[in-house]
Amino acid sequence: MSHWKERFLGILDLPSELSASELEEFFRFSRRDIADIAEAFRPKYRIAAGVQLGFTRMSGRRLDRFKVLPRALLAFLGEQFDVTPPSIATMRSLYKRGNTLIEHQKWVLDRLGLKYVNRKQEAMLLATVRTASHGTTSIDRLMTSAREWLVERNFVLPAERTLRDICVRASADTEAFIYQSICKAIPAEKRKELVESLMDKRDDGRTLMEWLRKAPKRRAKKNLDEIFERIDHIKSMGIADIELPAMSIERMRSYAREARQRSPSRF
């Protein structure tokens, strides 16, 4: 996927400004495109059809918002279709009738060979995102992966809420699978013992967890000695002997980052 596509994939609105390069990338049409639009639509609708076609190529979804369209875009399309563009326009002003907008969007999807996701394909997407969720806890990153999967297979991107629900469900499924693997690898009594030991107070008043997650200040022998002291303590707790093949190193690092952002009292 090109860096252009990655940047705009999934957007809901046209950017308020488009550079010359962006206009060329998404709204420069071939002679065949221009001829087909001229054949399918009357002159007053050709710019509107061009906006829809370019936006769908840019974002992977339909343009339903009614914001003011960039003036540079109107001029760029007017020149290609040899029609006088309006100086100011919104999608609402270009489409007086809702049925016309729907007809144009259907034409664009057919033109680009895009189709809607059915239940079977949604289940495939869920499985794909579930696999991706083993490497990250970020819902936003999962949504990016889901959009790329859909666009690469010529599907129209569903509503953001639908896409987020799929990614949240996939992440929750992975969380449950990891939790079950932890319960299987570490007996309940041992888990309780580990949690309680992390909350134990040390001589300096800090909990063991606070001491373990303290970052070294600089590269000095004293600080290095403290790091190895922490590692030795973790080994003495038996943590190094625990095997969790169901949890990827990426997930472990993600959980570690989240743990560092929480105060010990939240545990």
Side-chain angles (χ1 to χ4, degrees):
M1 184 174 294
S2 69
H3 73 283
W4 290 105
K5 199 68 175 177
E6 290 177 354
R7 179 180 175 187
F8 294 106
L9 190 61
I11 61 173
L12 300 174
D13 292 310
L14 268 169
S16 57
E17 294 184 4
L18 291 167
S19 67
S21 298
E22 291 162 354
L23 289 172
E24 288 287 341
E25 178 73 17
F26 298 108
F27 294 94
R28 171 65 70 184
F29 301 123
S30 67
R31 291 182 180 179
R32 176 68 182 275
D33 289 332
I34 293 172
D36 287 349
I37 288 175
E39 181 181 349
F41 306 106
R42 289 179 288 171
K44 72 175 185 176
Y45 284 127
R46 289 171 189 170
I47 287 180
V51 170
Q52 288 284 351
L53 179 58
F55 180 80
T56 301
R57 295 201 306 191
M58 171 189 283
S59 68
R61 59 168 29 113
R62 302 171 309 177
L63 178 60
D64 295 316
R65 302 293 179 91
F66 295 104
K67 290 174 58 177
V68 175
L69 300 173
R71 186 172 298 180
L73 172 60
L74 296 173
F76 190 75
L77 294 176
E79 180 182 352
Q80 292 184 74
F81 296 124
D82 196 25
V83 296
T84 302
S87 56
I88 298 177
T90 65
M91 293 303 291
R92 191 182 299 278
S93 66
L94 292 178
Y95 290 106
K96 304 294 185 184
R97 297 172 59 249
N99 288 341
T100 304
L101 172 61
I102 294 172
E103 290 170 5
H104 283 205
Q105 290 175 338
K106 184 180 184 304
W107 183 89
V108 166
L109 297 185
D110 291 341
R111 176 75 184 177
L112 296 176
L114 301 180
K115 51 192 178 295
Y116 291 101
V117 176
N118 59 31
R119 288 188 177 182
K120 179 180 177 180
Q121 293 149 354
E122 190 172 298
M124 293 171 60
L125 174 60
L126 176 61
T128 299
V129 177
R130 190 182 289 126
T131 299
S133 70
H134 283 274
T136 181
T137 58
S138 170
I139 299 300
D140 289 338
R141 286 179 60 185
L142 292 179
M143 290 183 69
T144 297
S145 298
R147 293 189 193 103
E148 292 176 355
W149 187 90
L150 290 164
V151 169
E152 288 170 358
R153 288 158 180 78
N154 294 326
F155 291 119
V156 182
L157 295 186
E160 284 293 278
R161 182 173 181 177
T162 300
L163 204 58
R164 180 170 290 277
D165 287 346
I166 290 172
C167 293
V168 169
R169 178 182 170 186
S171 185
D173 289 346
T174 299
E175 292 268 1
F177 177 70
I178 290 173
Y179 176 72
Q180 291 169 5
S181 71
I182 291 173
C183 292
K184 185 176 180 180
I186 313 171
E189 190 173 315
K190 179 63 176 179
R191 295 200 305 273
K192 182 179 179 181
E193 176 188 325
L194 289 173
V195 172
E196 290 177 348
S197 65
L198 288 172
M199 296 297 106
D200 287 343
K201 293 284 187 178
R202 291 170 49 84
D203 293 339
D204 58 8
R206 291 180 298 176
T207 63
L208 177 61
M209 177 179 287
E210 289 175 297
W211 176 69
L212 287 174
R213 70 182 189 177
K214 181 184 177 183
K217 295 180 180 179
R218 58 181 182 274
R219 290 185 180 179
K221 185 178 184 303
K222 179 181 178 181
N223 292 331
L224 288 174
D225 289 342
E226 288 183 0
I227 291 174
F228 285 115
E229 184 183 354
R230 294 189 190 105
I231 293 173
D232 289 339
H233 191 95
I234 290 173
K235 288 181 177 180
S236 71
M237 296 170 68
I239 293 176
D241 300 323
I242 298 172
E243 295 185 4
L244 297 172
M247 192 190 310
S248 66
I249 188 64
E250 291 83 3
R251 270 269 176 175
M252 289 187 184
R253 287 172 177 158
S254 181
Y255 289 142
R257 286 192 295 269
E258 292 178 10
R260 286 185 60 82
Q261 296 171 0
R262 297 185 182 185
S263 62
S265 62
R266 291 191 62 187
F267 288 89

